[in-house]
């Protein structure tokens, strides 16, 4: 959590990661740093300003959570309501607390300012955002455009990791259509994620029909059957449903699992079995603010074989990942 140094971070990123490589290339990939909601520990979450800081800190992926507006646009925002992360209650006080994203048009949402949450602030030392409106709610297309622009600026491919926050065909079609229109395919630096296995099964069916199988990631918890066999736990209306990892691999390229949970601990056995099934394993959410404690936490999961980390403080994740790779 030190003052930002663009030159140092870019040099580090180029030396460690190479230039323009993809996590889906044939060459073995190093563990990936996924900027969770952007550099959300430092700047307002899901904003171009926050994504840019994460990229400048060396993140491999930016992570837009997606919701659907009243007029059908996909926008990057975590909640299905606007009040936690924007000034909607001030600008639309007459709505009297009804702040669902799906009740607002894109034009209305574009008038809002995204505000910091938790440890976030409105600025970061030494960092000036390049976007004209760095702290408004971006559309998914704007995030894609920004990732491409930033890839050129930093000389490496910035991946995107969109999450379908609604189990809705409009969401599925919007994600696939936007990505295909922008040239993304199975070899791109892209993961599409969801907590809904039904959404991912539907996405895979549509991808097969479109001959464009961009990688999918099922989110949930690491769990185990009664005999100890690792299972993927997916939360549904009836509680946690356990799926065999080989069955998850039939329609996904990876799993994203909750870390630091005593009921559902991520184990080396789980990661080994996932790898044996052909699945990447990514963990969420690395949110430790203390640099030394964060380094130990990253190391713990990297030593187990984790392939990617969703991190609120991408600089701490990049530092830990680079130390890990260099020490191997
Ligand atoms: O997508 C992985 C992680 O971001 C899930 O948590 O609630 O921040 O989307 P959430
Ligand atoms: Ca997410």
């Amino acid at each position: 959590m030190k003052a930002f140094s663009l030159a140092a971070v870019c040099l580090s990123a180029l030396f460690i990661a190479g230039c323009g490589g993809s996590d889906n290339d044939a060459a073995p990939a190093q563990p990936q740093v996924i900027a969770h909601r952007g550099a959300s520990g430092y700047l307002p979450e899901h904003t171009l300003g926050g994504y840019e800081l994460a990229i400048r800190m060396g993140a491999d992926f930016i992570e837009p959570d997606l919701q659907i507006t009243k007029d059908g646009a996909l926008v990057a925002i975590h909640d299905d309501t606007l009040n936690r992360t924007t000034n909607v209650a001030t600008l639309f006080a007459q709505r009297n607390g009804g702040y669902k994203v799906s009740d607002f048009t894109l034009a209305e949402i574009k008038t809002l300012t995204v505000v910091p949450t938790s440890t976030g602030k409105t600025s970061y030392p030494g960092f000036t955002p390049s976007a004209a409106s760095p702290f408004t709610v971006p559309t998914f297309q704007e995030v894609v455009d920004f990732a491409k622009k930033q890839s050129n600026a930093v000389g490496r491919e910035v991946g995107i990791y969109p999450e379908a926050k609604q189990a809705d065909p409009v969401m599925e079609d919007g994600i696939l259509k936007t990505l295909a229109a922008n040239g993304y395919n199975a070899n791109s630096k892209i993961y599409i994620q969801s907590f809904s296995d039904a959404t991912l099964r539907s996405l895979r069916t549509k991808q097969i029909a479109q001959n464009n199988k961009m990688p999918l990631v099922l989110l949930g918890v690491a769990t185990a059957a009664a005999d100890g066999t690792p299972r993927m736990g997916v939360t549904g209306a009836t509680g946690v449903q356990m799926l065999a990892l080989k069955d998850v691999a039939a329609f996904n390229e990876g799993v994203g699992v909750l870390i630091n949970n005593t009921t559902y601990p991520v184990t080396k056995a789980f990661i080994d079995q996932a790898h044996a099934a052909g699945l990447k394993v990514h963990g969420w959410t690395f949110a430790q603010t203390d640099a030394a404690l964060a380094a130990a936490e990253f190391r713990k999961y990297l030593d187990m074989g984790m392939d990617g980390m969703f991190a609120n403080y991408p600089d701490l994740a990049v530092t830990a990942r680079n130390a890990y790779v260099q020490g191997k």
Side-chain angles (χ1 to χ4, degrees):
M1 303 235 289
K2 54 188 179 296
F4 168 70
S5 164
L6 173 59
V9 168
C10 286
L11 279 172
S12 172
L14 287 167
F15 178 73
I16 298 298
C19 193
S22 164
D23 187 36
N24 299 318
D25 284 344
Q30 64 181 348
Q32 298 289 287
V33 173
I34 305 144
H36 181 243
R37 311 184 193 180
S40 57
Y42 297 118
L43 288 174
E45 66 182 54
H46 292 310
T47 61
L48 298 187
Y51 294 144
E52 183 173 9
L53 178 59
I55 294 163
R56 299 300 169 126
M57 287 175 161
D60 301 290
F61 285 84
I62 53 175
E63 192 233 357
D65 292 321
L66 298 176
Q67 298 283 356
I68 310 171
T69 67
K70 183 178 183 180
D71 43 349
L74 297 193
V75 290
I77 185 167
H78 177 273
D79 301 1
D80 61 2
T81 53
L82 295 157
N83 46 299
R84 182 180 64 87
T85 58
T86 79
N87 61 345
V88 67
T90 303
L91 267 56
F92 291 89
Q94 75 279 12
R95 300 279 182 107
N96 202 22
Y99 300 132
K100 288 182 78 71
V101 175
S102 57
D103 288 338
F104 283 71
T105 65
L106 178 60
E108 289 173 331
I109 288 173
K110 278 294 182 183
T111 66
L112 305 175
T113 297
V114 186
V115 297
T117 56
S118 184
T119 58
K121 297 189 167 39
T122 55
S123 65
Y124 185 83
F127 171 67
T128 303
S130 64
S133 301
F135 299 122
T136 54
V137 178
T139 65
F140 184 35
Q141 180 61 55
E142 287 168 343
V143 176
V144 170
D145 291 342
F146 194 70
K148 288 178 179 286
K149 190 175 172 186
Q150 285 294 308
S151 296
N152 288 329
V154 298
R156 61 185 173 86
E157 184 180 4
V158 175
I160 55 174
Y161 207 132
E163 179 180 348
K165 278 295 183 194
Q166 298 297 325
D168 184 327
V170 172
M171 173 70 75
E172 296 167 11
D173 294 341
I175 291 173
L176 294 181
K177 187 176 174 188
T178 301
L179 292 174
N182 288 276
Y184 286 84
N185 58 44
N187 296 313
S188 300
K189 197 164 179 176
I190 175 88
Y191 288 105
I192 303 170
Q193 52 169 331
S194 176
F195 281 100
S196 164
D197 65 309
T199 292
L200 292 164
R201 291 177 203 274
S202 176
L203 279 168
R204 180 47 44 96
T205 299
K206 291 175 180 178
Q207 288 181 323
I208 290 169
Q210 295 166 11
N211 194 28
N212 191 355
K213 284 172 60 175
M214 289 172 274
L216 303 180
V217 170
L218 176 62
L219 301 172
V221 294
T223 185
D227 67 358
T229 305
R231 293 275 189 265
M232 183 64 186
V234 181
T235 307
T238 55
V240 174
Q241 176 196 2
M242 289 198 284
L243 301 177
L245 288 163
K246 67 175 175 40
D247 294 337
V248 173
F251 62 103
N252 291 277
E253 282 64 45
V255 291
V257 289
L258 175 65
I259 63 164
N260 297 338
N261 185 278
T262 50
T263 306
Y264 299 110
V266 179
T267 62
K268 186 170 186 310
F270 177 91
I271 294 177
D272 287 347
Q273 283 257 337
H275 287 168
L279 294 163
K280 301 276 191 189
V281 180
H282 298 161
W284 52 275
T285 298
F286 289 84
Q288 177 57 249
T289 57
D290 178 86
L293 293 175
E297 187 175 75
F298 286 118
R299 180 88 203 184
K300 170 185 165 185
Y301 289 99
L302 289 168
D303 278 342
M304 281 192 240
M306 190 166 271
D307 305 292
M309 300 89 69
F310 288 83
N312 289 353
Y313 305 93
D315 53 345
L316 300 184
V318 169
T319 298
R321 186 274 310 277
N322 291 353
Y324 176 79
V325 171
Q326 287 168 330
K328 281 188 90 174

